[in-house]
């Protein structure tokens, strides 16, 4: 029995070790590319304009959804404002336009058994509507918006590839999810804003 356990551990190391080395090399080689992409990004320029200082580089930042959404908005000259978060303004923020808050970092899912929408976040499920209200409140704290500029609606920006097949029809009928891919992002946002 002990020999079988040692043999399986040795085989596990033989398979895991090359994969770990490959991933480490990939990240090591990608880091300079990531840094250069960030240095010439619209995100960095906007942070300089907003704060008078450059935003610090975060490792592998150009692979994050937040960065990619920011770049798509800037590239397509969309009328969506970036509102920096209070805690870490150079790293995170909200996208806002026409009393609508656009969230991009979570994906709503539908539970067929309960008939409710929910958000999975850090291995916990949250009620979708409770989550939306909490994000509106956090957004309001960041901006200090007065009564004339309040957040009436929350829209989730969800990549088409992040959806389950059985949810696609439900999402088409929902009024709080906007699906996109890199090619149709501007068209979908403009169509939504023109309603």
């Amino acid at each position: 029995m002990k020999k079988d356990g040692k043999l399986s551990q040795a085989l596990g190391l033989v398979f895991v070790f090359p994969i770990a080395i490959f991933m480490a090399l990939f990240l090591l080689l990608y880091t300079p590319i990531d840094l250069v992409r960030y240095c010439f990004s619209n995100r960095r320029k906007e942070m300089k304009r907003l704060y008078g200082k450059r935003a610090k580089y975060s490792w592998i930042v150009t692979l994050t959804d937040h960065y990619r959404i920011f770049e798509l908005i800037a590239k397509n000259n969309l009328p969506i404002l970036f509102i920096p978060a209070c805690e870490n303004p150079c790293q995170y923020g909200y996208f806002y336009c026409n009393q609508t808050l656009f969230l991009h970092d979570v994906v709503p899912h539908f539970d067929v058994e309960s008939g409710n929408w929910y958000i999975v976040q850090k291995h916990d499920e949250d009620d979708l509507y409770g989550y939306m209200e909490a994000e509106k409140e956090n957004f309001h704290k960041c901006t200090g918006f007065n009564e004339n500029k309040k957040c009436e609606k929350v829209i989730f920006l969800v990549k088409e590839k992040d959806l389950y097949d059985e949810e696609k029809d439900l999402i088409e009928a929902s009024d709080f999810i906007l699906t996109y891919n890199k090619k149709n992002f501007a068209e979908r946002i403009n169509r939504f804003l023109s309603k």
Side-chain angles (χ1 to χ4, degrees):
M1 282 305 230
K2 288 183 179 180
K3 285 184 179 182
D4 289 340
K6 287 182 180 181
L7 181 62
S8 64
Q9 286 178 347
L11 286 174
L13 280 174
V14 167
F15 289 114
V16 171
F17 189 69
I19 293 171
I21 294 292
F22 175 76
M23 290 299 294
L25 282 173
F26 170 76
L27 292 174
L28 185 66
L29 294 174
Y30 184 75
T31 299
I33 296 167
D34 190 62
L35 179 61
V36 169
R37 286 176 70 190
Y38 180 72
C39 286
F40 293 99
S41 69
N42 291 306
R43 173 94 165 88
R44 185 168 180 256
K45 291 173 194 167
E46 183 67 11
M47 291 298 99
K48 172 102 169 122
R49 187 185 70 74
L50 286 172
Y51 294 102
K53 62 179 181 177
R54 292 186 179 107
K56 292 180 183 175
Y57 169 74
S58 294
W59 190 53
I60 312 294
V61 68
T62 63
L63 297 179
T64 64
D65 285 337
H66 182 76
Y67 173 88
R68 289 178 177 168
I69 295 282
F70 193 101
E71 291 299 306
L72 283 171
I73 289 169
K75 178 181 164 191
N76 293 294
N77 292 321
L78 297 170
I80 297 175
L81 298 173
F82 173 71
I83 310 291
C86 299
E87 316 84 54
N88 196 353
C90 290
Q91 299 301 322
Y92 185 76
Y94 295 96
F95 298 105
Y96 176 81
C97 183
N98 295 345
Q99 297 184 350
T100 303
L101 183 63
F102 294 93
L103 301 177
H104 63 281
D105 53 350
V106 293
V107 178
H109 293 290
F110 187 75
D111 182 13
V112 178
E113 291 177 13
S114 68
N116 294 322
W117 286 93
Y118 66 94
I119 297 286
V120 176
Q121 198 175 25
K122 296 178 183 173
H123 307 295
D124 290 331
E125 288 184 13
D126 290 334
D127 172 58
L128 177 80
Y129 300 104
Y131 181 83
M132 290 164 79
E133 290 305 314
E135 284 297 310
K136 280 187 197 178
E137 194 174 307
N138 288 340
F139 173 71
H140 187 74
K141 287 177 189 173
C142 285
T143 61
F145 275 171
N146 58 29
E147 292 298 314
N148 297 330
K149 289 194 174 183
K150 55 187 173 183
C151 180
E152 294 288 332
K153 191 170 189 173
V154 174
I155 298 293
F156 292 90
L157 299 174
V158 178
K159 287 185 275 187
E160 291 171 351
K161 66 179 184 175
D162 290 344
L163 299 173
Y164 298 133
D165 288 336
E166 58 271 8
E167 292 178 332
K168 289 184 180 177
D169 292 335
L170 291 167
I171 285 172
E172 294 292 327
S174 72
D175 62 345
F176 55 86
I177 298 174
L178 189 62
T179 60
Y180 72 93
N181 61 41
K182 192 175 179 180
K183 292 178 183 175
N184 68 12
F185 182 79
E187 174 197 334
R188 296 273 171 103
I189 293 288
N190 282 325
R191 191 182 324 147
F192 172 79
L193 295 175
S194 65
K195 287 181 185 178

